[in-house]
Amino acid sequence: MTDITMIRAAATRLAGHARRTPLLSSPFLDEIAGRRVFVKPECLQHTGSFKYRGARSAVSALDEGTRARGVIAFSSGNHAQGVALAARQFGVPSVIIMPADAPRMKIDNTRALGADVVLYDRATEDRDAIGAALSSERGLTLIKPYDEPQVIAGQGTIGLEIAEDAAAMGIARADVLVCCGGGGLTSGIALALEADAPGLRARPCEPEGFDDAARSLASGQIMCNARTSGGLCDAIVTPQPGNITFPIMQRLCGPGLVVTEDEALHAMALAFSRLKLVAEPGGAVALAAALFRHDQIEGDAVFLTISGGNVDADVFQTALARFA
């Protein structure tokens, strides 16, 4: 299981490879939220998403012989690009199994990073069966997108950075809002905060219709989403929280926050106009929660992640046209 020792080890392996992203702020966002808002822009990370941290952590933790045979991953795009880049940096093969309806930018970028992309139909094909066959045939190691200890450890390095920056600003108590799919980022950050900033509390943020983490935390048991695809926030659409990530979130996280797709689009437009950032819909839900669910947040400051910025042009144009 992931612990703070594993997260610190991941930080050492990521040093000089992953970018340390800054904390950004805007008085205009503070006014909307009614408190100070500090944004951790992982959309500026390599491959445009926090996923590079977990992917690099997991690939770098493999022994040389295992790594040389190559890696395989399932992803709608951001984990795909992270694994593809990490594999390329180590000079090993990667196979990424992606849904055919994933954003075109993410499919094209994953191929451009050197991965062998295998597309499947979510409705009619079993990605696990496809992956099992390819893994057996080629001797590949599966890098799971969130329910994998070394991936969680890599994502937890974001929490180490938030804790250090909060301490430098003298902020000892605050909510930390995290865009949440399967819970790898949320649980990793929560573990890091527990060790280095116990007064900061991680809270998962999700879009309506895919709020499995929020419902799971409220009920005390893992809950599934009725749908497994569709909606604008593809980057954080998962069937349910992970078996590894949920117990961590249950122990350490505050209640989940849920926003609408329109609020995510509005947050994208505000991130662009006020912070000059490009966010994808799933990557903007934590900002949307900070701005539009401010009555559900405690304290006079809030931290949040913009977890990714890999958005197709037409979706980004929709956000700007509607809310800019």
Side-chain angles (χ1 to χ4, degrees):
M1 294 295 289
T2 308
D3 59 17
I4 190 59
T5 301
M6 191 180 292
I7 294 172
R8 296 199 201 285
T12 298
R13 296 197 306 278
L14 290 176
H17 301 286
R19 292 174 178 146
R20 178 174 179 137
T21 50
L23 282 179
L24 304 179
S25 61
S26 160
F28 300 100
L29 299 182
D30 293 352
E31 183 175 357
I32 296 171
R35 56 176 52 85
R36 291 176 295 167
V37 176
F38 298 102
V39 177
K40 184 75 165 167
E42 283 292 301
C43 50
L44 302 180
Q45 189 56 257
H46 296 301
T47 71
S49 162
F50 77 96
K51 289 286 192 177
Y52 172 74
R53 295 182 188 247
R56 174 89 193 192
S57 170
V59 173
S60 65
L62 296 173
D63 67 77
E64 290 187 12
T66 300
R67 187 166 56 228
R69 291 192 292 273
V71 295
I72 187 169
F74 308 124
S75 173
S76 65
N78 285 336
H79 181 60
Q81 293 172 80
V83 171
L85 177 57
R88 188 177 78 171
Q89 290 172 335
F90 279 99
V92 302
S94 63
V95 176
I96 311 295
I97 301 173
M98 302 183 70
D101 61 351
R104 179 53 51 182
M105 169 189 282
K106 295 181 179 180
I107 294 173
D108 292 344
N109 286 352
T110 304
R111 285 189 171 129
L113 289 168
D116 177 7
V117 174
V118 176
L119 300 178
Y120 75 99
D121 186 321
R122 295 189 210 231
T124 62
E125 295 182 286
D126 182 347
R127 74 175 190 180
D128 293 324
I130 296 170
L134 288 171
S135 297
S136 176
E137 176 186 330
R138 305 187 194 183
L140 305 172
T141 298
L142 174 64
I143 307 294
K144 296 180 182 179
Y146 52 87
D147 226 21
E148 158 57 48
Q150 289 293 357
V151 168
I152 295 169
Q155 321 307 21
T157 62
I158 296 172
L160 297 180
E161 294 173 12
I162 291 173
E164 186 175 338
D165 290 342
M169 293 186 290
I171 300 174
R173 302 198 68 82
D175 281 344
V176 178
L177 311 188
V178 187
C179 306
C180 186
L185 177 60
T186 308
S187 59
I189 288 176
L191 286 168
L193 297 178
E194 177 189 32
D196 285 9
L200 303 187
R201 178 179 65 163
R203 299 184 64 184
C205 301
E206 299 167 293
E208 283 184 349
F210 301 96
D211 57 346
D212 48 294
R215 290 184 291 109
S216 297
L217 289 174
S219 68
Q221 60 184 340
I222 291 177
M223 306 288 287
C224 300
N225 287 318
R227 292 186 293 154
T228 58
S229 64
L232 285 175
C233 300
D234 65 283
I236 57 173
V237 170
T238 55
Q240 62 188 53
N243 292 325
I244 297 175
T245 61
F246 178 65
I248 299 170
M249 292 192 289
Q250 188 177 31
R251 182 170 68 85
L252 297 176
C253 290
L257 296 163
V258 183
V259 301
T260 67
E261 288 188 349
D262 272 356
E263 287 167 336
L265 289 172
H266 195 173
M268 288 169 60
L270 289 167
F272 179 71
S273 63
R274 300 308 184 188
L275 298 172
K276 312 310 172 192
L277 295 175
V278 174
E280 61 192 279
V285 295
L287 177 58
L291 299 178
F292 308 124
R293 297 292 180 274
H294 47 78
D295 59 331
Q296 299 176 36
I297 298 168
E298 298 178 5
D300 61 2
V302 64
F303 296 86
L304 64 95
T305 63
I306 290 183
S307 58
N310 294 312
V311 57
D312 282 345
D314 58 337
V315 176
F316 192 63
Q317 289 167 356
T318 296
L320 297 185
R322 191 174 301 175
F323 295 107

